[in-house]
C-alpha cells in the first residue's frame, strides 16, 4: 500500500515532535537531578508576632524567585499549639519547643532556632534531599535570589552576614554585641577563639557542614546561656546584659569549634535605615531595628501582639510614596536608603493584601495606596534584585584566586617596617627582607630608617633594603626624653607626608619578624574603619584608668599590635594621633607602674603600644583581631594553624640551644663576612613523645634556620665584593631560583628611594667615587685579559690550522661576557 506525500510529511512531523518531547523530558529529568538543590529555613514560635513576619518573608521568597522550597520551623508548647490559628501561613515543620529548657528550666526562646534545625536534620525527609541550606530570620524581606555557590559558599566555608560593629547607622552601639569573639568569652567557650567569626542573620552553607555544626550550635548556646558570670555588657556587648544573644554566640563558638570558616559579607544584607555602599544592591532586608523615613517610623516591637494577619484588610501604617521620599533628601545614596525602608513596609503590606485575599476576606475598598501596590511602577521598583557586577566579580574572583598577581582584582598593598642605624636592626632587616621575598607577600616593602646626622655619617647598611630616611626622634626634640620606640609612629607619619603611594592597604610589621606567607586584607577581612591586628593581651591599660585618662573612648581600646593591616585613609587620619598619644603616655610617668601598664619594668617602655591603641580608640577604629597570623617562637602552636609571621621578640630554646635577639644587640652580623648565629638542632633529633612540644620546637628551629639562611645569602653576595675579598674567603652557598629573586630584592636600592633622604647626596658621593674607580680598574683588567687571549688565539691559529675561526671568535665572545658579568657582580 502506497504512502502519500502528505502522510509521509505528517509522519515526519510526529517523529520530530516525539523527539522534541523526549528531549524536553530528558531535560526535565536532568533538572530534577541537578546537584544544586537549595532549601530555605526560618524559625518561629506560635505567636501573632511571628505570624505577620512569616507572611512577609514567605511572600518575599516567592516574589524574589528564590530557588527551592521554604520551610517554617514552628516551635510551640502543647498549650500554644491547641489554640494556634496560623498553621496555613507557610510550609511548616513542627519541632518541640525548648523555650523552657527541659533540664534547667531556663526561659530562653531563642534556643529554639538551633534546636529546631537539629530536629529538622534528624526527622525531615527534606533534609535528605538538599545540598545547600539558607537560614534566615523571620523578620526579613528577600529582594533577590540567594544562591549559595554564587556568593562564594563551598564545603567547609559558609557565607554569612557581618554581625560585628556596623557602619553608617545612628544606633551603632547595638552592633558591638559580638565582642565576645575578642575577649575572655571566646577563650572560655571554644578551643579555637581565633576562628570565632562575628556573623549571623544570613547563613548559607552545605548540608554536610550544617549536620556537623547544628549539634555544636545547640550545645554552645546552652553553655553560653548558663555562663551568667559573663553576661555583662563589657563581655558580650549585649546592651541589656541578660544573655539574650547567647544563641548568636552559640553559633559563632560552635562554628569555631568544628572549624567552619565563613565568607563574611557586609553588603548582602542591610538594615532599613542603613546607608548602602555606592553601587551595592542588597538582596536581603533585616528590619530588626527601628527606622525612620521623614516623620514616618516603624519598629517591629510595636507590633508584638498584633493580630494583623487575622484582621481582614488591615495593613501597617502607610509609608511615604516614592515621589515624597525624593523630596526628603538630596543626597542620592541616603535617598537610596530611604527607598529601601519604604520598600520593606510596602512588601510587608503587599504580602498581607495577598494573604487576606487567600483567607476569604471581602474585597477591600479602592484606595490610592492599594492602587500603587498593584501598579507597574511598584512592580518595577520591587522586581527581583541580583548581585551588582562589582559584587559578582568580587565574589567570583575570590573563588578563582588567579596566580598571576598582575590580574588579581585585590587592592594594592605596601609593607612598612621601622628601624634605626644600628647593627642590631641590620641583621633583623636582612632576615625580614629575605623572608619577604620568599613569602609571596604582594606589593613592595619599605624600611623606614630613623638616624641622627652623626649616625648617618658612619652607617654602612644603606643597601640592605628599599629605604625611606626619616629624622630620628630617639631623643625627643622638645622634652629631651630618650625613647627610640617613638620612631615607629614618627616614621610612618613622615612616610605618609613625603611619599606618594597608590596602595590601598598598608601592612606594618616590626623588624624582628620572619614572614612565612602573605598577609593580605582580603584574607583577614580588613576594611576601612576595621583594621586587622594580632592580640597583645598584656596591654591591661585598656581596661583601667590609663585608658580613661588618655582616650575619650576607653571602651574602644583594643589590645593589639605586632602586625597591622590598615586602610590608607584610616592611616592618614590615625598616624598623627598614634604619635601624639605615644608622647602623651610617655610623659605620664605617674602611671608607669606595672599594675597600670603591665610593663614588668615599669619604665614606660611600651608607651608606643599604648599610643597605638589609644590613638585608634580616639578614631573609633575597631580591630579585627586574628590570632592565627602571628606566633612567638617558643610558644605551642594551635593544631592546624598555618601562622604567617614569626615574631622572635622573646627568648626561645630547643634543648640546650637558645636564641634571644637581645644577646646580639652589639654584634655586627651583617658586615662581618661569614658571621652567623649558632645553628639550631636538626629536627631529626627531636623527641616525638609529646606532639605539642614537637610542633613548638619545629617552629623554633625553622625561625633560627631562616635567620641564618638570610645571613648566608647576604654574605654570599657581600663577600664577593672587593671590600671583603682580601679579608676572607667567600662563603659558597647554593641559591635556588626563588631565593635568588629574594636576594635581588634585598640588595636593590632604587634611585628614587636613595634620593628621598636629605643626606643622600652627601652620603653617597664617596661611594659613587669608589664605584667609579673600581669600574675603571676592572675595565683595564678585563681589556688586558681580552688582549692576552687575542694574542694567544692568533698564535694558536697560526700553529694549529684545525681550529676554526668561528670557534675562536665564539670562545673570545663567551670569555668576554663571562669576565664582564663577573665585573658587574663585584
Amino acid at each position: 500500500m502506497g504512502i502519500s506525500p502528505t502522510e509521509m510529511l505528517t509522519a515526519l512531523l510526529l517523529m520530530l515532535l516525539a523527539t522534541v518531547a523526549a528531549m524536553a523530558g530528558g531535560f526535565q529529568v536532568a533538572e530534577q537531578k541537578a546537584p544544586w538543590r537549595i532549601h530555605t529555613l526560618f524559625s518561629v514560635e506560635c505567636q501573632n508576632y511571628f505570624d505577620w513576619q512569616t507572611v512577609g518573608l514567605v511572600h518575599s521568597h516567592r516574589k524574589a524567585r528564590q530557588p527551592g522550597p521554604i520551610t517554617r520551623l514552628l516551635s510551640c508548647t502543647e498549650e500554644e499549639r491547641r489554640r494556634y490559628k496560623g498553621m496555613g501561613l507557610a510550609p511548616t515543620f513542627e519541632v518541640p519547643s525548648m523555650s523552657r529548657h527541659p533540664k534547667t528550666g531556663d526561659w530562653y526562646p531563642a534556643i529554639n532556632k538551633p534546636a529546631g534545625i537539629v530536629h529538622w536534620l534528624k526527622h525531615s525527609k527534606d533534609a535528605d534531599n538538599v545540598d545547600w541550606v539558607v537560614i534566615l530570620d523571620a523578620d526579613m524581606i528577600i529582594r533577590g535570589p540567594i544562591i549559595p555557590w554564587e556568593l562564594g559558599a563551598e564545603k567547609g566555608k559558609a557565607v554569612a552576614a557581618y554581625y560585628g560593629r556596623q557602619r553608617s547607622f545612628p544606633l551603632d552601639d547595638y552592633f558591638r554585641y559580638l565582642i565576645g569573639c575578642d575577649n575572655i568569652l571566646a577563650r572560655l567557650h571554644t578551643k579555637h577563639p581565633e576562628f570565632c567569626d562575628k556573623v549571623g542573620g544570613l547563613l548559607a552553607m552545605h548540608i554536610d557542614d550544617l549536620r556537623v555544626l547544628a549539634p555544636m550550635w545547640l550545645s554552645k548556646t546552652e553553655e553560653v546561656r548558663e555562663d551568667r558570670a559573663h553576661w555583662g555588657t563589657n563581655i558580650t556587648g549585649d546592651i541589656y546584659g541578660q544573655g539574650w544573644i547567647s544563641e548568636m554566640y552559640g553559633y559563632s563558638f560552635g562554628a569555631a569549634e568544628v572549624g567552619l570558616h565563613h565568607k563574611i559579607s557586609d553588603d548582602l544584607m542591610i538594615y532599613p535605615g542603613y546607608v548602602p555602599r555606592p553601587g551595592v544592591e542588597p538582596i536581603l532586608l533585616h528590619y530588626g531595628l527601628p527606622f525612620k523615613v521623614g516623620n514616618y517610623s516603624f519598629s517591629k516591637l510595636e507590633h508584638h501582639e498584633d493580630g494583623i494577619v487575622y484582621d481582614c484588610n488591615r495593613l501597617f501604617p502607610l509609608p511615604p510614596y516614592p515621589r515624597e521620599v525624593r523630596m526628603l533628601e538630596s543626597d542620592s545614596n541616603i535617598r537610596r536608603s530611604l527607598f529601601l525602608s519604604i520598600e520593606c513596609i510596602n512588601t510587608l503590606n503587599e504580602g498581607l493584601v495577598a494573604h487576606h485575599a487567600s483567607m476569604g476576606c471581602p474585597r477591600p475598598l479602592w484606595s490610592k495606596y492599594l492602587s500603587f501596590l498593584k501598579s507597574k511602577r511598584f512592580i518595577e521598583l520591587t522586581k527581583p534584585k541580583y548581585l551588582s557586577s562589582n559584587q559578582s566579580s568580587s565574589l567570583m574572583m575570590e573563588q578563582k584566586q588567579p596566580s598571576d598577581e598582575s590580574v588579581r582584582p585585590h587592592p594594592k598593598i605596601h609593607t612598612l617596617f621601622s628601624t634605626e642605624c644600628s647593627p642590631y636592626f641590620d641583621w633583623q632587616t636582612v632576615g625580614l627582607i629575605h623572608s619577604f621575598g620568599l613569602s609571596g607577600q604582594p606589593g613592595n616593602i619599605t624600611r623606614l630608617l630613623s638616624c641622627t646626622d652623626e649616625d648617618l655619617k658612619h652607617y654602612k647598611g644603606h643597601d640592605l633594603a628599599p629605604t625611606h630616611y626619616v629624622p630620628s626622634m630617639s631623643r625627643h626634640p622638645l622634652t629631651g626624653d630618650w625613647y627610640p620606640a617613638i620612631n615607629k609612629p614618627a616614621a610612618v607619619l613622615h612616610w605618609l607626608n613625603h611619599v606618594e603611594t597608590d596602595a590601598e592597604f598598608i601592612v606594618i610589621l616590626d623588624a624582628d619578624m620572619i614572614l612565612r606567607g602573605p598577609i593580605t586584607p582580603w584574607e583577614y577581612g580588613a576594611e576601612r574603619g576595621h583594621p586587622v591586628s594580632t592580640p597583645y593581651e598584656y596591654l591591661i591599660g585598656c581596661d583601667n584608668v590609663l585608658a580613661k585618662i588618655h582616650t575619650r573612648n576607653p571602651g574602644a581600646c583594643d589590645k593589639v599590635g605586632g602586625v597591622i593591616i590598615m586602610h590608607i585613609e584610616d592611616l592618614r587620619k590615625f598616624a598623627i594621633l598614634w604619635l601624639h598619644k605615644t608622647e602623651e603616655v610617655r610623659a605620664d610617668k605617674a602611671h608607669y607602674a606595672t599594675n597600670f601598664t603591665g610593663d614588668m619594668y615599669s619604665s614606660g617602655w611600651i608607651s608606643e603600644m599604648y599610643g597605638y591603641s589609644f590613638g585608634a580608640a580616639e578614631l573609633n577604629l575597631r580591630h579585627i583581631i586574628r590570632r592565627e597570623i602571628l606566633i612567638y617562637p617558643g610558644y605551642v602552636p594551635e593544631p592546624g594553624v598555618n601562622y604567617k609571621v614569626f615574631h622572635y621578640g622573646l627568648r626561645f630554646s630547643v634543648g640546650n640551644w637558645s636564641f634571644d635577639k637581645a644577646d646580639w644587640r652589639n654584634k655586627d652580623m651583617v658586615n662581618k663576612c661569614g658571621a652567623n648565629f649558632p645553628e639550631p638542632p636538626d629536627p631529626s633529633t627531636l623527641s616525638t613523645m609529646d606532639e605539642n612540644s614537637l610542633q613548638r620546637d619545629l617552629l623554633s628551629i625553622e625561625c633560627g634556620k631562616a635567620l641564618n639562611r638570610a645571613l648566608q645569602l647576604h654574605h654570599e653576595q657581600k663577600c664577593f665584593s672587593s671590600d671583603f675579598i682580601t679579608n676572607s674567603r667567600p662563603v659558597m652557598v647554593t641559591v635556588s631560583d626563588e631565593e635568588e629573586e629574594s636576594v635581588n630584592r634585598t640588595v636593590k636600592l632604587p634611585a628614587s628611594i636613595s634620593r628621598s633622604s636629605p643626606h643622600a647626596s652627601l652620603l653617597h658621593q664617596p661611594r659613587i667615587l669608589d664605584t667609579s674607580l673600581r669600574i675603571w680598574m676592572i675595565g683595564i683588567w678585563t681589556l688586558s685579559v681580552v688582549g692576552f687571549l687575542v694574542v694567544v688565539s692568533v698564535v694558536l691559529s697560526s700553529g694549529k690550522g684545525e681550529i676554526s675561526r668561528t670557534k675562536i671568535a665564539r670562545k673570545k665572545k663567551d670569555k668576554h661576557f663571562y669576565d664582564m658579568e663577573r665585573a658587574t657582580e663585584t
Side-chain angles (χ1 to χ4, degrees), residues 462-482:
H462 297 281
D463 58 351
L464 296 179
T467 301
H468 175 76
Y469 296 82
V470 298
S472 174
M473 277 190 63
S474 295
R475 180 75 64 188
H476 198 282
L478 297 179
T479 66
D481 178 43
W482 177 258

Side-chain angles (χ1 to χ4, degrees), residues 516-581:
R516 304 176 73 233
I519 308 166
T520 59
W522 52 86
E523 181 177 0
Y524 298 109
E527 60 180 348
R528 195 166 180 178
H530 293 280
V532 167
S533 192
T534 51
Y536 267 19
E537 299 294 348
Y538 56 82
L539 295 180
I540 61 172
C542 276
D543 302 327
N544 59 38
V545 69
L546 200 65
K548 295 175 183 176
I549 292 173
H550 294 291
T551 175
R552 293 170 296 177
N553 300 314
C557 183
D558 292 328
K559 302 174 185 176
V560 294
V563 174
I564 298 161
I565 310 173
M566 186 177 291
H567 195 280
I568 185 69
E569 296 306 321
D570 289 334
L571 189 60
R572 292 188 195 282
K573 297 176 183 176
F574 164 70
I576 186 67
L577 279 170
W578 184 4
L579 176 59
H580 173 63
K581 290 296 178 182

Side-chain angles (χ1 to χ4, degrees), residues 440-453:
Q441 176 72 2
N444 298 317
I445 187 168
T446 296
R447 171 179 60 165
L448 307 178
L449 186 61
S450 303
C451 305
T452 65
D453 289 345

